[in-house]
Amino acid sequence: MGRMTHVLTALAWPYANGPRHIGHVAGFGVPADVFARYMRMRGHDVLMVSGTDEHGTPILVQADSEGLKAAEAAAKYNRIIVEDLDALGLSYDLFTRTTTGNHYKTVQELFTTLYGNGYILQKKTLGAISPSTGRTLPDRYIEGTCPHCGFDSARGDQCDNCGRQLDPTDLVDPKSRINGETPKFVEEDHFFLDLPAFADALNAWLDTRTGWRTNVVRFTKNLLDDLQPRPISRDLDWGVPIPLEGWVERPDKRLYVWFDAVIGYLSATIEWARRSGDPDAWQRWWQDPEAVSYYFMGKDNIVFHSEIWPAMLLGANGEGAGGGEPGALGRLNLPTEVVSSEFLTMEGKQFSSSRRVVIYVRDFLERYSPDALRYYICAAGPENQDSDFTWAEFLRRNNDELVAGWGNLVNRSIAMAAKNFGAVPEPGELEEVDRELLAATKAAFDAVGDLIGANKVRAGIGEAMKAVAAANKYLADTAPWKMKEDPKRQGTVLFTVLQAVSDLKTIMSPFLPHSSQRVHELLGGEGVFAPMPHIEEVADLDEGGATNGTYPILTGDYADVPKWESVPLAPGTPLAKPVPVFTKLEPSIVDEEIERLHS
Ligand SMILES: [Zn+2]
């Protein structure tokens, strides 16, 4: 991607049935933001979109448990999640919801195109009814034992223990949660996506993919050996209505939550374009053959991004085995790359709200800075293998690496220059050791940038921290504090290290944007260096959704980001005594946090 390219950065949609814990943002939230921020600095036209996934049974179950309507529960958790992602500084161009009128319209448009091209099958299937009332029993009111893992409270559409999708007929010993009776199964019509019709097209497309993580390619190729039609409608009263005559007005049949949620990437781009005042602008990321799209998700979500969503796009383009024509949205681009992360555990255990093995993003950010969390995620997140979050390791990374490494370099160099010169000093002739440091820091732009571009965030921040260590070593070796008798050489050394700090704040800014902004200001810079998202309260663009008319979005203006390059520092720029950029943590936080987990 040498020249400017349109880059869609598409993040998995967090499910709005509760607040999100740090495991949710560690796998893909922060890594995708690092990627998007870097790509903007390289001059690409980046669009970063996502939103909350708000349909389906788990929302209804959560709403029931709180005495709320589904729309109220979804709105409540949408707002909490928006605020948390904002506090973390995730630079979404649009973070929206799946309950907007725009999303309903886009989902129905895609369904209609797939249906018209013959890729949606209507089939008889067994549905549950209550023998005592004769009425349809929605999936969430059926409970039984999971045939896969033996969990005894699996629901009619999903097992919360092993995460597999189920049909009510899959359950061993199914029971109604309303009155305990055994449901009766009767034949009824449902809709299925004809996945087998895409086997050849998916195979051919996968063969053209290069640079994907091997786990994604291997996993997807295996799936293609056994494709089955996949249900896309449910017995449910919460979701996007099925846009066919005889179905659209039925209150008890809705599109399956997964089918509408994956279309969110497209509907969010369309919503962003409509809000930007250029309603066709979305096409630049979806129709331009030169545009690229990167999808970020956890490994439990690979199938939707490497198989099902590409199949839906192929079908909408008329490129499955049955042919067809593109619909009203034109020919749409398939994913360029599917970037899947592994899982984060906590203190050796799986995150679990019910078992209290959890730290919510909000609680974390009440006690620690967003960049302390971002640093941990970048340096030790579950990029290529599962990784474990422990409070002891968080303390060590924060104090020994972030504070003692990068924070100390910033503080010492700016404090010394402020005290002795009150400004960025005028350098004299550079010596070999000075030129070496500046060359090493400049070389870090390419080294770190290439790694971020390849979605190797852990290696990227490791490379950046090596450049920090080199600058700290330069300070220790040259010892400018011993140069009181030679202010000219002292000025040259301090100028050199400040130039390195200035370069490093640029290199660090995709990972640690909040602190890079502070370093920019400490070096006498003005204005926005690392742009941040903000929350806006907006009106729904269309009727027909379930948002109640207004909702919060996360958006931002990222047009004026600095370039990914070294910018010469101006000697004479006034410097004040710096306030520390990072906070050293007390060792006692480890016991306090573990105590909190157990209380
Ligand atoms: Zn199970």
Side-chain angles (χ1 to χ4, degrees):
M1 275 184 285
R3 59 181 202 85
M4 193 276 278
T5 306
H6 289 95
V7 181
L8 182 70
T9 305
L11 281 72
W13 291 52
Y15 202 62
N17 66 336
R20 299 295 88 182
H21 57 64
I22 63 166
H24 288 120
V25 294
F28 51 88
V30 170
D33 186 54
V34 173
F35 177 78
R37 285 178 177 276
Y38 166 70
M39 285 304 204
R40 290 189 191 108
M41 294 172 83
R42 291 298 303 267
H44 297 300
D45 205 345
V46 172
L47 200 73
M48 175 161 147
V49 293
S50 187
T52 41
D53 178 1
E54 301 187 6
H55 294 125
T57 308
I59 300 283
L60 290 160
V61 170
Q62 183 65 30
D64 282 352
S65 78
E66 295 186 43
L68 297 173
K69 292 186 176 133
E72 293 168 343
K76 171 181 164 180
Y77 291 113
N78 160 262
R79 189 171 293 274
I80 288 173
I81 292 167
V82 163
E83 288 169 2
D84 289 352
L85 301 180
D86 179 51
L88 254 183
L90 301 189
S91 58
Y92 291 96
D93 290 278
L94 181 68
F95 185 89
T96 179
R97 319 173 57 178
T98 57
T99 41
T100 68
N102 172 74
H103 180 70
Y104 277 40
K105 262 179 35 182
T106 310
V107 168
Q108 293 181 332
E109 179 62 46
L110 216 70
F111 179 97
T112 303
T113 303
L114 283 165
Y115 189 81
N117 282 341
Y119 295 115
I120 291 179
L121 313 171
Q122 190 170 341
K123 297 209 305 180
K124 294 271 181 230
T125 169
L126 289 176
I129 60 165
S130 158
S132 55
T133 66
R135 286 167 56 188
T136 300
L137 206 48
D139 298 335
R140 73 178 183 284
Y141 291 124
I142 305 168
E143 227 172 51
T145 301
C146 173
H148 304 289
C149 72
F151 180 59
D152 64 4
S153 330
R155 284 191 317 267
D157 63 340
Q158 185 180 310
C159 171
D160 280 344
N161 188 50
C162 68
R164 284 190 177 83
Q165 291 200 336
L166 301 171
D167 268 323
T169 49
D170 295 336
L171 294 173
V172 178
D173 197 18
K175 290 271 189 298
S176 161
R177 287 179 57 205
I178 297 166
N179 57 14
E181 65 186 356
T182 303
K184 199 172 122 193
F185 289 99
V186 296
E187 278 209 324
E188 56 174 21
D189 280 341
H190 268 292
F191 294 97
F192 290 74
L193 180 66
D194 186 10
L195 283 176
F198 303 105
D200 291 345
L202 284 172
N203 240 321
W205 168 70
L206 276 172
D207 285 340
T208 66
R209 301 297 90 201
T210 53
W212 284 26
R213 291 180 185 169
T214 45
N215 64 338
V216 180
V217 175
R218 201 181 310 132
F219 177 83
T220 311
K221 283 266 182 183
N222 282 340
L223 290 173
L224 296 186
D225 293 339
D226 183 33
L227 289 178
Q228 303 292 332
R230 192 175 179 103
I232 57 173
S233 58
R234 297 311 281 175
D235 291 324
L236 203 66
D237 56 4
W238 173 240
V240 180
I242 300 164
L244 290 174
E245 218 186 299
W247 290 87
V248 71
E249 57 282 337
R250 286 190 65 164
D252 60 335
K253 304 282 178 189
R254 289 288 184 269
L255 290 171
Y256 213 144
V257 56
W258 68 259
F259 181 84
D260 93 70
V262 287
I263 299 172
Y265 300 118
L266 177 60
S267 69
T269 315
I270 293 173
E271 181 183 343
W272 172 84
R274 293 175 69 191
R275 293 194 182 283
S276 79
D278 180 2
D280 292 331
W282 67 271
Q283 296 169 357
R284 299 204 283 268
W285 285 271
W286 285 91
Q287 295 183 350
D288 175 1
E290 301 292 313
V292 293
S293 53
Y294 286 73
Y295 291 72
F296 294 82
M297 79 228 55
K299 64 179 166 188
D300 52 337
N301 246 325
I302 295 175
V303 59
F304 290 105
H305 298 88
S306 67
E307 180 204 300
I308 297 173
W309 177 229
M312 289 163 67
L313 290 164
L314 286 165
N317 292 342
E319 293 168 0
E325 293 293 329
L329 297 171
R331 191 191 176 281
L332 302 167
N333 290 340
L334 270 64
T336 304
E337 190 156 341
V338 172
V339 186
S340 125
S341 64
E342 305 292 307
F343 290 144
L344 187 74
T345 54
M346 182 162 181
E347 301 287 345
K349 299 193 185 86
Q350 273 198 336
F351 278 96
S352 162
S353 302
S354 54
R355 289 192 299 270
R356 311 194 69 128
V357 185
V358 74
I359 173 85
Y360 293 113
V361 172
R362 169 155 315 205
D363 297 337
F364 200 106
L365 296 183
E366 252 170 35
R367 301 196 279 282
Y368 310 103
S369 75
D371 279 5
L373 177 55
R374 290 179 66 116
Y375 179 75
Y376 188 96
I377 289 171
C378 290
E383 189 173 281
N384 276 313
Q385 57 189 36
D386 292 351
S387 72
D388 192 35
F389 177 91
T390 67
W391 286 105
E393 182 66 356
F394 172 68
L395 176 82
R396 189 190 72 75
R397 295 249 181 209
N398 183 79
N399 286 1
D400 298 357
E401 296 179 5
L402 197 54
V403 176
W406 177 219
N408 194 30
L409 175 66
V410 169
N411 251 323
R412 280 206 298 174
S413 56
I414 297 176
M416 248 185 289
K419 182 169 166 237
N420 292 294
F421 298 89
V424 176
E426 186 75 47
E429 181 121 358
L430 296 190
E431 294 180 8
E432 183 65 22
V433 65
D434 311 328
R435 282 193 295 269
E436 268 175 21
L437 176 69
L438 294 178
T441 314
K442 268 191 187 155
F445 278 95
D446 279 348
V448 175
D450 288 350
L451 289 165
I452 299 176
N455 285 299
K456 293 177 177 160
V457 169
R458 276 177 85 140
I461 202 162
E463 203 59 41
M465 290 301 279
K466 266 192 226 161
V468 166
N472 270 323
K473 181 168 186 304
Y474 168 86
L475 263 190
D477 290 350
T478 52
W481 51 90
K482 290 183 188 158
M483 292 175 179
K484 294 238 160 38
E485 311 306 315
D486 187 357
K488 194 163 164 90
R489 179 63 192 147
Q490 187 184 44
T492 304
V493 167
L494 287 175
F495 172 85
T496 301
V497 77
L498 288 177
Q499 178 67 56
V501 167
S502 174
D503 288 350
L504 284 166
K505 73 156 198 271
T506 308
I507 291 171
M508 282 295 184
S509 67
F511 307 105
L512 310 174
H514 303 86
S515 45
S516 279
Q517 177 70 38
R518 300 266 310 275
V519 176
H520 169 74
E521 290 159 12
L522 291 177
L523 287 172
E526 286 171 0
V528 174
F529 182 78
M532 286 296 156
H534 64 268
I535 299 171
E536 265 175 40
E537 208 69 25
V538 297
D540 203 331
L541 295 169
D542 303 283
E543 305 270 300
T547 59
N548 229 347
T550 64
Y551 55 95
I553 59 168
L554 204 50
T555 185
D557 181 1
Y558 315 111
D560 291 325
V561 293
K563 287 210 176 84
W564 186 257
E565 64 187 20
S566 172
V567 176
L569 262 188
T573 307
L575 296 177
K577 186 173 184 289
V579 182
V581 175
F582 301 107
T583 309
K584 190 170 179 187
L585 299 171
E586 292 299 324
S588 59
I589 67 136
V590 175
D591 287 343
E592 285 161 23
E593 291 292 349
I594 290 173
E595 187 79 8
R596 226 180 237 123
L597 272 181
H598 295 140
S599 66

